[in-house]
Amino acid sequence: MNAVYPTSPSMSKTKTLVINALFIALTLVATMFINIKLPIMGNGGLIHLGNVPLFIAAFVFGRKTGAIAGAFGMGLFDLISGWAVWAPFTFIIVGLMGYLAGLMAEKMPGKKVIVYSLAVIVAMLIKIVGYYFAEVVLYGNWIQPFGSIPGNIMQVVLAGLIVIPLAGRIKKLF
């Protein structure tokens, strides 16, 4: 069964708006309230579950909802949680993660568990590379950002382990 992506003719503009707003809120809340600060160098010490609703949005509702949930949900977290300098980077990096994960879920043929797993891997690479260069820009240091990589990997892998087995079941509800 294929999901009804928010861009399909069968979904009203109101429903699309509500779904996008819901996943922005879920991503914000999961990032803000379900997190652990790890004592490691760099900025990679915040492990959160914001990627869980991001991947659900991307896999169930498609690339646009994935991008919107990630960009706005985690971007808002940065703005209201004292990380405002990170907001533009987050908006682009996490928006791209959601977009590409959703695009892969929409367009790639094959078993969904494999497609979702590949999408999570691609999203993880985007996060690692994107935040590495964001830290280089912000801190002017090419070495310090390596300390963030383990935290970024943990965040995305944990979200993948939660979402991949559930996404197909959630998708059947819509």
Side-chain angles (χ1 to χ4, degrees), residues 31 35 40 46 72 83 88 95 97 124 129 138:
T31 305
N35 66 54
I40 59 177
L46 183 67
F72 288 98
W83 303 82
M97 287 171 56
M124 181 174 61
V129 172
L138 291 174

Side-chain angles (χ1 to χ4, degrees), residues 30-40 43-51 148-156 158-159:
T31 305
M32 184 173 283
F33 296 112
I34 309 172
N35 66 54
I36 300 168
K37 181 75 173 152
L38 298 176
I40 59 177
N43 195 41
L46 183 67
I47 306 299
H48 60 76
L49 290 183
N51 293 300
S148 297
I149 293 173
N152 289 333
I153 291 170
M154 286 174 52
Q155 277 182 33
V156 177
L158 181 60

Side-chain angles (χ1 to χ4, degrees), residues 17 21 31 41-43 45 77-78 100 113 116 119-121 140 144-145 168:
L17 180 66
T31 305
M41 68 181 252
N43 195 41
F77 166 78
D78 285 347
L100 287 179
V113 70
Y116 295 159
V120 167
I121 291 168
Q144 183 180 356

